[in-house]
Amino acid sequence: MIAGKVTGSIVSTRKCDSLVGNKLLVVEVLNDMNVSQKQIIAIDKVGAGVGEYVLVALGSAARVGLSIPEAPVDAAVVGIIDDGSEYIGE
């Protein structure tokens, strides 16, 4: 699991049936995370918005957390960070 900040959203009118009705967010990975990507696209099931810091599950954990095991998802927003200022630099 990694932490990041939601910087935007993606609109996709054509996608796999298992993704219909789900919001896609652009998440900027925090610098302290040991992840090669600087930004990821994550499916959102918790109602996160632009500017919020979030927890993102990666890989098969993302699909399990969504209860959509057949979905082509490898990143999912699974939580919104309420407090963590010592870690997120605010």
Side-chain angles (χ1 to χ4, degrees):
M1 189 173 331
I2 62 168
K5 183 176 183 178
V6 178
T7 58
S9 61
I10 299 273
V11 176
S12 175
T13 55
R14 296 185 63 181
K15 54 188 164 236
C16 293
D17 290 341
S18 58
L19 297 179
V20 173
N22 291 291
K23 184 168 63 169
L24 300 171
L25 297 176
V26 178
V27 178
E28 183 176 319
V29 178
L30 296 182
N31 290 335
D32 295 344
M33 300 287 121
N34 288 327
V35 180
S36 61
Q37 302 106 323
K38 294 185 189 255
Q39 289 185 326
I40 56 175
I41 306 299
I43 195 165
D44 176 38
K45 290 296 241 182
V46 297
V50 173
E52 292 188 293
Y53 288 92
V54 293
L55 297 172
V56 179
L58 300 173
S60 61
R63 288 186 299 279
V64 171
L66 293 174
S67 301
I68 314 172
E70 74 283 354
V73 173
D74 64 345
V77 175
V78 295
I80 299 172
I81 299 173
D82 295 322
D83 185 22
S85 55
E86 64 271 19
Y87 301 107
I88 58 178
E90 286 199 351

